[in-house]
């Protein structure tokens, strides 16, 4: 909610946003809904979707955060269709 309020305030002051989204096992299925929300509610089209490279601390958590490209294909195609 705080994040949405912040985005609304920035939009009110006509601040252009560039939003980064790091894809992990915890959120990859939300990608289409997130992009649709950002486009519809905030009119944002500058989005950077990053597929995670596991180094350092991420490497230590790769079992819980890692997602294969094969698993990401469907949500990615749904997102691109928006």
């Amino acid at each position: 909610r705080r994040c949405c309020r912040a985005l609304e305030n920035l939009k009110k002051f006509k601040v252009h946003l560039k939003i980064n989204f790091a894809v992990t096992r915890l959120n990859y299925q939300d990608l289409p809904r997130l992009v649709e929300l950002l486009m519809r509610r905030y009119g944002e089209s500058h989005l950077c979707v990053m597929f995670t490279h596991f180094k350092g601390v991420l490497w230590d958590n790769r079992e819980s955060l890692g997602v294969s490209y094969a698993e990401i294909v469907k949500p990615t195609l749904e997102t691109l269709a928006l």
Side-chain angles (χ1 to χ4, degrees), residues 4-5 7-8 11 37-44:
C4 288
R5 264 198 324 266
L7 291 173
E8 288 165 9
K11 183 179 176 186
L37 170 77
L38 292 170
M39 288 171 53
R40 190 173 291 167
R41 183 182 283 180
Y42 305 108
E44 288 307 317

Side-chain angles (χ1 to χ4, degrees), residues 57-80:
V57 175
L58 283 176
W59 178 257
D60 296 339
N61 295 293
R62 65 190 177 279
E63 295 299 322
S64 60
L65 297 176
V67 61
S68 71
Y69 288 125
E71 293 172 282
I72 297 172
V73 169
K74 184 179 178 193
T76 302
L77 291 176
E78 289 173 11
T79 303
L80 292 172

